[in-house]
Each structure stands twice: as structure tokens, then as C-alpha cells.
Amino acid sequence: MQSSNGRARSNGDGPERSGEYRQAQGPPFVEAPGEVCYEDPWYDALASGWGESGTVNVPPAEVPAGRRSREDGRLAAAQVYLEVQRSEAFQEVRSRYRKFVTPAVAGFFLWYVAYVVTATTAPGFMARPVVGAVNVALLAGLGQFLSTFLLTWAYARHARLRRDRAALELRWDTQELTRGATGGVS
């Protein structure tokens, strides 16, 4: 049995050296002059023409009529999605999303950076006790976790109240338009 580094394992049931293994396996795979020689046993001969020069250009075969209609349906469906993306309703949903996410991400990032910078530049302030063994650093660290949960809750609430209904209506409209464009075939 051969190990992954090309050396034979010395368990007594095979050739002891990699040269003996190659002799037992036969001559290496040799390609035409000027091309790369592959001795790799995992080399996929079917994929040997990919990206290499000197490959033969084969004209594409004629697409069967049934497949052509499916491709036409897919193109029509793609056109529906492009129309939906350009629509006023889609732009409104995206706008509502951006109006919440942009300030939320900026605020959370600033809060996180402020915590890290304060912890590294003002260790005396962060070590100041608040109540007993609880100090400012511990409260700020717990505040990071609390703000993460609050931001998640606010995002879910905003999505439920301001975007989900419009997005669901858009999805249903898109599915109906796509179904009509593909002739009921998905």
C-alpha cells in the first residue's frame, strides 16, 4: 500500500521503495511532445483539455425543442425578476431595510470600538469598582451582550412591522408572474 507522499509503507506486503512501486505500476503516462506530463494517479483524464491550448473547438449541438422552451421560460422568468427589482414596491422594501440597518450597524460598531478602545487605553477607568466586585469593564462587557440582544429584537420588530408584509406581497406577485412566464412549469 502506498502512502500519500509517494513512499511505500513497510508493512511487508508491497514494494518497499517508491521506485519499485512505479515499476510494478507500469510506465508513467506520457503525453504528446511539448505538453505537460502527468504522473499523478488522481489526474482526471476527462478534464485534461480544460484551459489548455490546442483543444478542438466543437460547435454546440442543437438544443431540443422541449429544452429550448424551458430555457425560453427561464429567460422570461429572469426578465420578471429584473422587472420586480426595478419596481417601486421592491425599491421601497430595500429603502426601509437600509434606513434601519445602516444606522444600527454604525451605532453598534461605534459602541463596540468605544468599548475596545476604552478597555485598552484607560485600564484604570475600566477597573474602577461600581458595586462590590463589579467594575466598569464588567458592566460594559455585559452591555455588549445586552445591546446585541436588543439590536436583534429591534431588527426583528422592524422587519415584522415595516417590511414583511410588503416583501410577502412582492414575493407572491413575483411567483405568479414567473408561473405565467414559464407556462406553469417551475
Side-chain angles (χ1 to χ4, degrees), residues 56-60:
V56 179
N57 292 334
V58 178

Side-chain angles (χ1 to χ4, degrees), residues 120-131:
T120 56
T121 60
F125 172 72
M126 297 298 268
R128 184 174 295 159
V130 177
V131 176

Side-chain angles (χ1 to χ4, degrees), residues 7-181:
R7 296 184 184 166
R9 295 184 182 161
S10 58
N11 58 3
D13 61 347
E16 297 298 322
R17 292 185 299 269
S18 64
E20 292 175 12
Y21 176 77
R22 286 194 180 133
Q23 289 173 355
Q25 189 180 19
F29 177 71
V30 179
E31 294 186 6
E35 293 192 25
V36 179
C37 176
Y38 294 101
E39 293 183 14
D40 184 7
W42 297 103
Y43 177 72
D44 186 3
L46 296 175
S48 64
W50 292 6
E52 296 178 5
S53 62
T55 57
V56 179
N57 292 334
V58 178
E62 181 64 28
V63 178
R67 186 170 165 198
R68 193 175 319 123
S69 66
R70 279 185 278 158
E71 288 176 356
D72 292 343
R74 287 186 187 131
L75 289 175
Q79 197 63 24
V80 166
Y81 283 104
L82 289 174
E83 289 175 19
V84 168
Q85 185 179 8
R86 292 182 198 118
S87 72
E88 180 82 25
F90 183 82
Q91 296 304 322
E92 179 65 26
V93 169
R94 294 298 295 170
S95 172
R96 289 178 186 177
Y97 172 78
R98 284 189 203 106
K99 284 179 183 176
F100 178 84
V101 169
T102 302
V105 167
F108 187 78
F109 183 72
L110 287 174
W111 160 233
Y112 175 75
V113 169
Y115 171 72
V116 171
V117 168
T118 305
T120 56
T121 60
F125 172 72
M126 297 298 268
R128 184 174 295 159
V130 177
V131 176
V134 177
N135 59 14
V136 173
L138 181 63
L139 290 177
L142 291 173
Q144 289 287 314
F145 285 104
L146 180 63
S147 64
T148 302
F149 290 119
L150 286 174
L151 186 60
T152 303
W153 171 80
Y155 176 81
R157 183 175 185 274
H158 180 269
R160 186 182 70 242
L161 295 178
R162 302 234 163 71
R163 289 192 329 265
D164 284 354
R165 185 175 308 275
L168 185 63
E169 289 174 7
L170 232 133
R171 187 168 90 192
W172 282 113
D173 293 344
T174 304
Q175 287 179 349
E176 289 298 319
L177 290 170
T178 304
R179 192 173 294 123

